[in-house]
Amino acid sequence: MNRYTISVLVNDEPGVLQRVSGLFGRRGFNIDSITVGGSEQIGLSRMIIVTSGDDRIIEQVEKQLNKLIDVIEVTHLSLHSIVERELAFIKVKAEPSKRPEILGVVHTFRASIIDIGPNSLIIQVVGELNKMEALIELLKPYGILELCKTGTTAMIRGDKHP
């Protein structure tokens, strides 16, 4: 199973996200991650969808997406050199005696502390998925109380664009 990242430019209309995600569900394709936000064009939003499968599956997904009325453009980002990042908030148990140790881990990953509670810290980390997973693994022994991730967002490097 390969991991694929797809950019989908869509009309910014109610129900578009449901139609796109429904297409995946009806075809039995899994969405590993989906992010949606405004684009450089007024009235259009960009979805970044990460899915897994083989080349046949990704080809089917692209064809099916292009059939949807609200879809303007589908770009298979995985075929290009891309920049991709995720954002995560990690709330970790942090008694005052353990904080220096946790701060060492946080700084090593260029993450930051965005909230300090009496017995917890909220850590913000931005980066590639493997960086995030490594940080999460190192924080597990301290006790992760809550974890919230945005999903992948991505863009083609350099002057190229979809």
Side-chain angles (χ1 to χ4, degrees), residues 20-61:
V20 169
S21 61
L23 178 147
F24 278 77
R26 286 189 306 277
R27 302 291 186 283
F29 304 142
N30 189 42
I31 295 175
D32 297 333
S33 163
I34 186 167
T35 59
V36 184
S39 76
E40 68 283 0
Q41 298 177 46
I42 295 171
L44 299 180
S45 291
R46 186 171 312 280
M47 296 181 177
I48 303 297
I49 302 170
V50 178
T51 189
S52 300
D54 57 26
D55 291 340
R56 184 190 60 76
I57 287 174
I58 196 65
E59 188 177 308
Q60 275 297 111
V61 165

Side-chain angles (χ1 to χ4, degrees), residues 14-119:
V16 174
L17 176 59
Q18 181 182 0
R19 287 189 285 282
V20 169
S21 61
L23 178 147
F24 278 77
R26 286 189 306 277
R27 302 291 186 283
F29 304 142
N30 189 42
I31 295 175
D32 297 333
S33 163
I34 186 167
T35 59
V36 184
S39 76
E40 68 283 0
Q41 298 177 46
I42 295 171
L44 299 180
S45 291
R46 186 171 312 280
M47 296 181 177
I48 303 297
I49 302 170
V50 178
T51 189
S52 300
D54 57 26
D55 291 340
R56 184 190 60 76
I57 287 174
I58 196 65
E59 188 177 308
Q60 275 297 111
V61 165
E62 288 180 53
K63 285 179 184 176
Q64 296 299 320
L65 285 170
N66 278 311
K67 289 181 183 179
L68 294 177
I69 292 171
D70 288 309
V71 171
I72 308 303
E73 181 178 65
V74 177
T75 305
H76 185 170
L77 295 178
S78 301
L79 297 175
H80 304 277
S81 176
I82 63 173
V83 175
E84 61 181 339
R85 298 288 185 269
E86 287 195 22
L87 165 70
F89 290 166
I90 308 162
K91 186 183 289 186
V92 65
K93 192 184 320 179
E95 297 169 15
S97 64
K98 292 287 186 182
R99 288 184 182 173
E101 205 174 301
I102 294 170
L103 287 171
V105 173
V106 168
H107 292 300
T108 300
F109 282 83
R110 294 187 189 151
S112 57
I113 305 296
I114 59 171
D115 184 69
I116 299 175
N119 293 302

Side-chain angles (χ1 to χ4, degrees), residues 126-139:
V126 176
E128 294 178 354
L129 184 59
N130 58 359
K131 171 187 174 181
M132 208 164 293
E133 289 173 346
L135 176 58
I136 291 166
E137 281 302 310
L138 288 174
L139 292 172

